Amino acid sequence: MSQIIDTNNLPKHIAITMDGNGRWAESKGKIRAFGHKNGVKAVRDTVEAAAEIGIKFLTLYAFSTENWSRPKSEINALMSLLVSAINKETKTLMNNNIKLSTIGATDSLPSKAKKELNEAIEETKGNTRMTLILALSYSGRWEILNATKNLIADGINHEKINEQIFQQYLTTKSVPDPELLIRTSGEYRISNFLLWQIAYSELYFTNRLWPDFRRQDLEKAILNYQNRERRFGKTKKQIQN
Ligand code: IPE
Ligand code: IPE
Ligand code: MG
């Protein structure tokens, strides 16, 4: 790599929409589930790389609310893959001092997946190097609606509601907003991911299909991020002073 990552300017939180598994498999004449299976390798490589680089939070969009509309056979394949991947990779998380957590309506997952997830979350809860957040049965609108319902259920006076309080009702309440959002597979859309949290995220799109995504791709995205000027509505001059 010609440029070196500046460790003083790392995003604390990177979010990734892991897209393109189906097309990757289809391009090889295989069924879509083969692509999901190979996506796990990309997850392992990316998670390890992110922790080594010094990223504190990594959120992976693994299954959206809308993905429940896929064919039953594909959903089943994804759910059993989730179970086997968590089972196998908890060791990787322990070796790398990585804590696992989830966002989304995880209650709606099959009980086997819930059990596997809960065990891994429990086992890794003392880990401190990085937090890996899996977005499962997640959508941004679901989350915002949920937050609103809970604010009302708690009887919070409408006069008191501000961004800070609202944020406390989101599933990401203890996590800073992602500075960088990556999406693979050449799709330029958000697909209901972290709608509130990405208000000022830098967006990075790559044509790489998720099963081919590796450490170098993550490094490339971070370098690209480090060459941007984040202005948050201010002028260039204000930012540079
Ligand atoms: C991403 O790959 C994985 C999930 C959404 C679960 P896709 O399955 O969306 O793959 P493409 O976009 O059809 O290629
Ligand atoms: C977004 O990918 C969800 C995940 C990667 C989990 P999709 O493949 O479901 O998104 P669309 O349908 O192309 O927008
Ligand atoms: Mg897709």
Side-chain angles (χ1 to χ4, degrees):
M1 189 137 315
S2 50
Q3 235 188 316
I4 305 251
I5 289 175
D6 175 3
T7 51
N8 293 316
N9 181 25
L10 286 175
K12 273 196 201 67
H13 181 183
I14 297 178
I16 307 182
T17 299
M18 310 184 288
D19 198 13
N21 295 354
R23 277 163 284 166
W24 185 89
E26 280 153 21
S27 76
K28 295 181 157 46
K30 301 278 195 336
I31 59 161
R32 296 176 55 84
F34 183 70
H36 299 314
K37 191 162 174 254
N38 279 273
V40 178
K41 291 177 197 163
V43 171
R44 187 188 308 126
D45 207 67
T46 304
V47 168
E48 283 191 319
E52 278 163 29
I53 291 166
I55 305 305
K56 285 302 184 191
F57 300 92
L58 177 68
T59 302
L60 300 179
Y61 202 6
F63 194 82
S64 72
T65 306
E66 289 76 19
N67 288 149
W68 288 113
S69 316
R70 290 196 179 189
K72 195 90 189 92
S73 57
E74 183 169 345
I75 295 175
N76 290 342
L78 278 164
M79 293 302 151
S80 38
L81 196 60
L82 177 66
V83 171
S84 66
I86 298 291
N87 189 295
K88 255 183 36 211
E89 302 302 336
T90 306
K91 206 169 55 220
T92 315
L93 298 180
M94 291 309 292
N95 289 341
N96 287 282
N97 192 11
I98 298 167
K99 176 174 159 173
L100 180 70
S101 73
T102 60
I103 54 173
T106 47
D107 275 352
S108 57
L109 297 173
S111 52
K112 199 138 196 298
K114 276 189 279 197
K115 182 170 171 277
E116 211 61 63
L117 278 166
N118 287 336
E119 283 172 11
I121 289 167
E122 181 62 25
E123 193 175 338
T124 61
K125 71 176 182 204
N127 292 346
T128 53
R129 184 154 72 142
M130 184 177 86
T131 302
L132 169 64
I133 303 158
L134 295 181
L136 290 164
S137 191
Y138 173 89
S139 81
R141 286 188 176 179
W142 163 84
E143 178 181 47
I144 290 169
L145 280 176
N146 225 29
T148 309
K149 285 183 195 169
N150 289 329
L151 270 165
I152 294 170
D154 282 358
I156 309 288
N157 183 315
H158 74 277
E159 305 258 21
K160 284 215 171 121
I161 299 174
N162 57 27
E163 286 194 17
Q164 280 66 39
I165 289 171
F166 196 84
Q167 210 156 324
Q168 286 307 306
Y169 280 82
L170 295 172
T171 56
T172 51
K173 61 169 185 275
S174 42
V175 177
D177 289 343
E179 294 91 337
L180 175 60
L181 169 65
I182 299 171
R183 182 168 186 152
T184 59
S185 88
E187 303 294 356
Y188 300 93
R189 54 177 172 262
I190 301 300
S191 301
N192 221 345
F193 195 28
L194 301 173
L195 296 179
W196 172 280
Q197 297 86 341
I198 60 169
Y200 266 104
S201 300
E202 295 297 327
L203 309 182
Y204 179 87
F205 298 97
T206 166
N207 287 332
R208 191 79 79 214
L209 299 174
W210 178 253
D212 288 331
F213 194 88
R214 289 293 177 274
R215 168 186 299 259
Q216 302 83 277
D217 299 300
L218 180 69
E219 288 172 353
K220 217 171 134 191
I222 295 172
L223 282 172
N224 185 291
Y225 163 84
Q226 292 187 330
N227 284 312
R228 298 186 190 190
E229 184 179 65
R230 306 187 74 205
R231 288 195 284 273
F232 302 97
K234 296 182 181 168
T235 68
K236 194 178 181 71
K237 206 167 156 198
Q238 284 177 299
I239 294 301
Q240 285 166 353
N241 280 338

